Amino acid sequence: MAQEVQRRYTDLEDTFSITMELQRPLLQDEDDNQNEEKIKHKKDILKKNIKIGSCILVLILIIGVATWIGTSYKPGQLALDSLVSDSKVEVSVDKDITFTPIGKEATKGFILYPGAKVDAKAYAPLCKMIAERGYEVVIADMPLDFAMLSPNRAEKIIEEHENIKSWVVGGHSLGGVAAAKFAAKEKLVDGVVLLASYPSNDDLKDLGKEVLSIWGSKDGVVNFTKLIESKDNLPEDTTYVEIEGANHAQFGDYGKQKGDHDALISEEKQLNITSDSIIDLLDSIGNN
């Protein structure tokens, strides 16, 4: 009897062991399925977080762009008045702002890159003065009022004006940095104008292009140390003009600029001296 009980116990033990072994693959499959679901859930959460993060970044970018545009310096009344055509100059405002002299076929042109965060229209007074002397003048339209985003913008302008044989490219503040960068590689550019600005390297130094550097003694924005040091990056025959009492903002007409000093001379006087200096450079290049 004892042997029979023992045998039955042993048989039960063997049966239990076999049952567990048979169930093991099923339990493993169930664990694998659970792990796959957990991994899938984690991936779904990650994708969702990435989408949320991307939306937040886009929103921040939109707010940043809107803030940048909203804080750009707007043209003053003198600039707005200068955008009206008259008997001497025809003004065309279509992204780029073009000033064409009336009664004279221009063969020389000047392209101006605006300063950072300054509406292109603010430079209309200066550019119209130059156009009145018989030169085609174009203020380049820049994305977000920031010339460094499109330093080659003048290339298209040059292509659109086949009648112009000689070009001078210039810019105000950071616009001058971008203009110098473009002028260094463009063969059709004979001259460069830097308004309260300086190049970022010495690419212009040995190219034989005429360079004019103008700044105001009361400029509170430009870095004068770098302005002086930049002379080593410019041609030896560069023309330097310091306007006594002039500041940074009065190269355009957009009011007081943050960090700038009050000018000791009128906006009109600063613009007259600046335009006369640029006209002298235009007179000296190419052929009429």
Side-chain angles (χ1 to χ4, degrees), residues 88-196:
K88 294 182 179 180
V89 177
E90 179 183 349
V91 184
S92 173
V93 182
D94 182 17
K95 289 189 176 180
D96 298 323
I97 305 172
T98 304
F99 302 81
T100 303
I102 296 175
K104 179 179 180 179
E105 185 177 349
T107 59
K108 299 180 183 181
F110 175 59
I111 301 171
L112 179 67
Y113 282 16
K117 297 182 69 176
V118 180
D119 191 308
K121 297 181 181 69
Y123 299 93
L126 173 63
C127 291
K128 194 171 187 180
M129 288 179 180
I130 298 171
E132 287 175 350
R133 299 288 289 273
Y135 299 103
E136 187 84 357
V137 183
V138 182
I139 306 174
D141 175 66
M142 292 297 180
L144 302 178
D145 296 326
F146 193 55
M148 296 302 290
L149 294 177
S150 186
N152 296 325
R153 183 69 188 86
E155 184 175 2
K156 183 178 180 181
I157 295 173
I158 291 174
E159 290 175 354
E160 293 172 345
H161 293 77
E162 296 181 355
N163 58 307
I164 304 301
K165 306 306 179 184
S166 300
W167 287 97
V168 170
V169 176
H172 179 218
S173 197
L174 277 177
V177 179
K181 183 178 180 180
F182 171 78
K185 64 177 185 178
E186 178 53 62
K187 294 181 179 180
L188 293 177
V189 174
D190 297 313
V192 182
V193 174
L194 302 169
L195 302 177

Side-chain angles (χ1 to χ4, degrees), residues 48-59:
K48 184 177 180 181
N49 289 337
I50 290 174
K51 287 181 179 179
I52 293 173
S54 299
C55 290
I56 292 173
L57 288 175
V58 170
L59 182 60

Side-chain angles (χ1 to χ4, degrees), residues 54-104:
S54 299
C55 290
I56 292 173
L57 288 175
V58 170
L59 182 60
I60 292 173
L61 179 61
I62 292 173
I63 293 173
V65 170
T67 301
W68 175 279
I69 295 174
T71 56
S72 292
Y73 295 98
K74 306 302 181 185
Q77 191 57 51
L78 178 61
L80 296 176
D81 291 342
S82 299
L83 292 170
V84 179
S85 300
D86 54 31
S87 60
K88 294 182 179 180
V89 177
E90 179 183 349
V91 184
S92 173
V93 182
D94 182 17
K95 289 189 176 180
D96 298 323
I97 305 172
T98 304
F99 302 81
T100 303
I102 296 175
K104 179 179 180 179

